Amino acid sequence: MEYQSLVGIEMIAAICVAILLVIYTWKVLNWAWFGPKKLENCLRQRGLKGNPYKLLYGDLKELTNKLNEAKSKPIDFSDDIAQRLIPFFCDSINKNGLVTLEEDKWAKHRKIINPAFHFEKLKHMLPAFYQTCSEMLSKWEEIVPKETSVEFDVWPHFQLMTGEVISRTAFGSSYEEGRIVFELQKEQAEHVMEQVFSIYIPGSRFFPSKRKKRMLEIEKEIQTTIRHIIDKRLRAMKAGETSNNNEDLLGILLESNMKEIEQHGSKDFGMTTSEVIEECKLFYFAGQETTSVLLVWTMILLCLHPEWQVRAREEVLHVFGNEKPDFEGLNRLKIVTMILYETLRLFPPVPTYGRRNKDEVELGDLSLPADLLLVIPAILVHYNKEVWGEDAKEFKPERFSEGVSKATNGQVSFIPFGWGPRICIGQNFAMMEAKMAITMILQRFSFELSPSYTHAPVAVVAIHPQYGAPLLMRKL
């Protein structure tokens, strides 16, 4: 009897194991094949064509090959920039072109972070903009002798300057520590991009590698550094200390977070320290990248169109002369603003961005199932001749002479910072910093494109000049 009982238990155990094996096998098959094929069929029934689903790596191989081919050769200024930046999407756009949404703890975070980017708060950040630009231009003046032009690459200078601005405006007196975060974030971004364009193997995230080890080390160091800055600031705030630190991004964010918690009487309505750290990391990446690429492409376009460089300089000198730019004056710069808008149209900081829709949505006549990853090709929208006219590829700042709404005929077709309630919260910050930098450059230098410049825009998250931006700079 005892033997039969043991056999019975073993049979039951074997049956349970078999059932579990069948369940998990089904889940894997559904994740890797049946689910994606079902979604593919659903989209085809709704009129969307596209490449058939490929197991595990999808279109990654084709996407990577097309991107590498596009990057292997420069282009002329008259060539299609989108074809170089997003060749795979350009080739497949007639098969499957969609837009995106994304879900996360957005609403709570947005409410808490909003005060940090209020337009009035930018006044307090203007000294940091000015100081950092002055330091950069002092280096330029050392490089460029009087009465002659000198060639140098302005691109790395803009990257360093905008990183320094973020360090100062985000962390105030702790900006030296913030610099460490900036350097680590740059390295981490390179590792992430390498990872994105590598073929995914199920379970590979559990395998050790040199790159994964380094990424973990970077993340740990970033977390430790920012946490140290935050803890020090919180101790000062609890002790009742007040200083200019309350006017930097971190101080405003922490103060807003504390008020939200006090108002509702619960920490659940605020952000955790880990969430504050993530927002600080985003300050760095989004703030530095957006402004540096805006500045470098503005300079290049003003070299290609010297008449606009002259007009912008005349406006700057009319408003400020050679004096220090102030907040009110920067807001009165109409021509400079038009030039920056047109640069953002031709070279949007991020050429495409993705979202995921939580529920089934109607997009025009198209019904899209839930949980679909959608892509907004900002670069294609900005070059659409039906929206912008036959001169869509041309640099014409005058199209913004009466503002964005007039230039777009009220359509959502100018989206360098996104659109709607999820529009980039730091757009005013980026625009004010760019105005300050361009104003100060125009006050002190004239510039033209160097013969060694090679036009090769490349998407490294934002649109970078692949071979830099060598310009011929001359002191005024």
Side-chain angles (χ1 to χ4, degrees):
M1 288 291 293
E2 193 173 315
Y3 172 76
Q4 289 178 334
S5 178
L6 286 171
V7 170
I9 291 172
E10 288 175 355
M11 286 184 65
I12 291 171
I15 291 170
C16 288
V17 170
I19 291 172
L20 286 173
L21 188 62
V22 169
I23 290 172
Y24 280 103
T25 300
W26 168 253
K27 284 186 175 180
V28 170
L29 287 172
N30 192 53
W31 167 78
W33 184 258
F34 295 118
K37 290 301 289 184
K38 181 180 178 181
L39 181 59
E40 178 189 326
N41 291 334
C42 175
L43 293 174
R44 290 191 187 283
Q45 288 170 9
R46 300 182 189 199
L48 290 171
K49 299 177 182 178
N51 295 338
Y53 171 71
K54 301 182 186 74
L55 189 64
L56 301 182
Y57 62 85
D59 292 320
L60 182 61
K61 184 177 180 181
E62 185 181 353
L63 187 153
T64 304
N65 287 342
K66 286 184 178 295
L67 194 58
N68 288 335
E69 182 184 354
K71 287 168 63 178
S72 67
K73 49 187 181 294
I75 59 175
D76 293 328
F77 287 104
S78 59
D79 289 342
D80 190 346
I81 181 179
Q83 191 64 47
R84 191 175 200 276
L85 294 171
I86 50 170
F88 176 80
F89 290 106
C90 288
D91 292 346
S92 61
I93 198 69
N94 291 326
K95 298 177 183 177
N96 194 356
L98 300 173
V99 201
T100 72
L101 299 162
E102 196 172 63
E103 181 195 12
D104 78 88
K105 297 176 180 178
W106 172 80
K108 179 174 75 173
H109 286 213
R110 182 85 177 203
K111 182 180 179 183
I112 294 170
I113 296 166
N114 256 332
F117 291 96
H118 192 277
F119 205 67
E120 284 299 310
K121 293 290 184 182
L122 292 179
K123 287 184 178 180
H124 301 289
M125 297 175 190
L126 220 61
F129 294 169
Y130 179 79
Q131 181 181 350
T132 312
C133 290
S134 293
E135 290 171 0
M136 180 186 73
L137 294 180
S138 293
K139 292 176 184 175
W140 289 14
E141 288 175 333
E142 291 175 6
I143 297 171
V144 182
K146 289 184 178 179
E147 299 178 1
T148 185
S149 60
V150 170
E151 177 191 306
F152 66 90
D153 186 356
V154 298
W155 171 231
H157 290 259
F158 286 141
Q159 289 179 299
L160 288 173
M161 186 207 79
T162 52
E164 183 78 358
V165 165
I166 288 292
S167 296
R168 283 183 166 136
T169 55
F171 298 120
S173 62
S174 301
Y175 82 93
E176 290 288 355
E177 294 170 281
R179 281 176 171 171
I180 298 170
V181 178
F182 171 58
E183 293 300 326
L184 290 170
Q185 288 270 89
K186 279 176 64 179
E187 184 183 346
Q188 193 77 309
E190 292 171 4
H191 292 305
V192 169
M193 290 305 293
E194 288 174 12
Q195 201 170 48
V196 166
F197 289 104
S198 61
I199 293 175
Y200 173 69
I201 301 171
S204 61
R205 64 192 179 98
F206 299 108
F207 301 155
S209 72
K210 190 175 180 180
R211 181 174 67 192
K212 287 179 188 172
K213 182 182 177 183
R214 178 55 186 155
M215 290 177 75
L216 288 172
E217 289 173 349
I218 291 171
E219 181 60 24
K220 185 177 179 180
E221 192 171 349
I222 289 173
Q223 293 274 344
T224 302
T225 303
I226 299 179
R227 189 176 291 272
H228 172 72
I229 297 171
I230 291 172
D231 289 344
K232 187 167 61 175
R233 187 68 62 82
L234 286 173
R235 286 195 299 270
M237 291 172 72
K238 287 177 182 176
E241 295 177 18
T242 58
S243 69
N244 290 334
N245 279 338
N246 293 334
E247 298 298 343
D248 62 28
L249 292 171
L250 177 60
I252 297 167
L253 175 58
L254 291 175
E255 187 178 1
S256 176
N257 194 39
M258 288 175 69
K259 285 180 179 177
E260 193 70 16
I261 293 171
E262 288 172 5
Q263 182 182 341
H264 293 91
S266 171
K267 288 186 176 181
D268 292 341
F269 288 88
M271 292 164 62
T272 64
T273 299
S274 295
E275 289 172 337
V276 172
I277 289 172
E278 290 305 309
E279 294 301 336
C280 289
K281 287 163 61 179
L282 186 60
F283 286 164
Y284 264 94
F285 185 75
Q288 189 271 338
E289 279 284 287
T290 300
T291 314
S292 61
V293 296
L294 172 55
L295 287 171
V296 77
W297 293 117
T298 299
M299 292 284 282
I300 290 170
L301 287 168
L302 289 179
C303 287
L304 291 169
H305 303 275
E307 71 281 7
W308 280 101
Q309 184 182 151
V310 170
R311 290 183 64 181
R313 184 175 293 105
E314 287 175 348
E315 179 183 54
V316 164
L317 294 177
H318 174 72
V319 174
F320 301 112
N322 291 312
E323 299 299 315
K324 178 180 176 180
D326 57 36
F327 188 77
E328 289 72 21
L330 291 172
N331 283 323
R332 294 202 308 271
L333 295 177
K334 181 177 179 180
I335 292 172
V336 169
T337 302
M338 287 158 49
I339 289 168
L340 291 173
Y341 279 157
E342 182 69 340
T343 302
L344 286 167
R345 186 185 72 83
L346 294 172
F347 294 93
V350 182
T352 65
Y353 47 95
R355 296 289 187 272
R356 193 177 293 276
N357 58 320
K358 179 182 176 183
D359 304 304
E360 183 169 336
V361 295
E362 299 292 328
L363 188 63
D365 296 329
L366 187 63
S367 177
L368 300 175
D371 200 35
L372 194 66
L373 180 64
L374 309 172
V375 175
I376 299 175
I379 191 75
L380 296 180
V381 174
H382 286 188
Y383 280 75
N384 190 320
K385 291 183 179 180
E386 291 183 14
V387 175
W388 298 98
E390 290 301 314
D391 58 1
K393 289 185 181 181
E394 298 176 28
F395 177 73
K396 288 195 168 183
E398 63 266 30
R399 68 177 88 240
F400 289 101
S401 61
E402 297 181 60
V404 173
S405 181
K406 186 74 173 179
T408 59
N409 292 319
Q411 300 180 76
V412 182
S413 52
F414 182 65
I415 48 176
F417 298 106
W419 194 261
R422 293 174 187 259
I423 195 167
C424 175
I425 199 169
Q427 63 170 324
N428 290 333
F429 179 99
M431 286 295 291
M432 189 60 65
E433 183 185 353
K435 284 181 185 180
M436 174 66 82
I438 289 297
T439 293
M440 294 177 68
I441 291 169
L442 289 169
Q443 284 176 320
R444 305 188 195 187
F445 295 91
S446 63
F447 42 92
E448 57 185 291
L449 214 55
S450 167
S452 64
Y453 173 78
T454 302
H455 193 51
V458 61
V460 186
V461 182
I463 303 177
H464 291 193
Q466 188 175 347
Y467 304 110
L471 305 183
L472 297 174
M473 306 295 296
R474 181 185 292 272
K475 280 184 184 175
L476 293 175

